[in-house]
Amino acid sequence: ITILDLNGPLGFGRDDVTLRTEISLAFEGGAKHVILNMRDVPGIDSSGVAALASAHMTAVNRGGTLRLCNLPKKLKDVFAIMRLNTVFNSNETEAEAIAIAQAPPS
């Protein structure tokens, strides 16, 4: 399991290549599960959503999983409106995301 703590808005002209690179490196390094701690992400735009979608596809293509945790209320609202909550696995806490990632497949 690799946990990445994100900081600052996701998208908004920021370099999302770094996020994509870190996720690829995690899977190349042997991680089967990547958890993105979103606690310090105050907002997201379409390029941020695209970065998350790319991360999700990287996880799927490598036989792994991507989980989000600690979404601030504003992001929860955006995810619900855009129905992204049906695409991305999300947990309230990092501990919950780790427990689910470690659970044997059913």
Side-chain angles (χ1 to χ4, degrees), residues 3 35 39 69-70 91-102:
I3 300 168
I35 297 170
R39 176 186 323 254
C69 69
N70 292 319
N91 298 103
E92 289 296 318
T93 67
E94 188 175 288
E96 184 179 308
I98 292 169
I100 289 172
Q102 289 176 332

Side-chain angles (χ1 to χ4, degrees), residues 30-47:
K32 290 292 179 194
H33 311 283
V34 173
I35 297 170
L36 301 180
N37 187 334
M38 310 279 284
R39 176 186 323 254
D40 295 321
V41 178
I44 189 168
D45 69 3
S46 60
S47 65

Side-chain angles (χ1 to χ4, degrees), residues 7-25:
N7 191 337
L10 197 51
F12 299 97
R14 295 182 57 166
D15 183 11
D16 296 322
V17 172
T18 303
L19 174 61
R20 295 173 200 217
T21 300
E22 289 298 319
I23 289 169
S24 290
L25 288 172

Side-chain angles (χ1 to χ4, degrees), residues 38-79:
M38 310 279 284
R39 176 186 323 254
D40 295 321
V41 178
I44 189 168
D45 69 3
S46 60
S47 65
V49 172
L52 290 179
S54 174
H56 175 72
M57 291 308 301
T58 297
V60 169
N61 290 337
R62 305 237 178 167
T65 64
L66 177 75
R67 300 196 76 76
L68 311 178
C69 69
N70 292 319
L71 284 132
K73 182 176 179 346
K74 182 176 179 181
L75 289 187
K76 285 181 188 177
D77 293 345
V78 169
F79 275 52

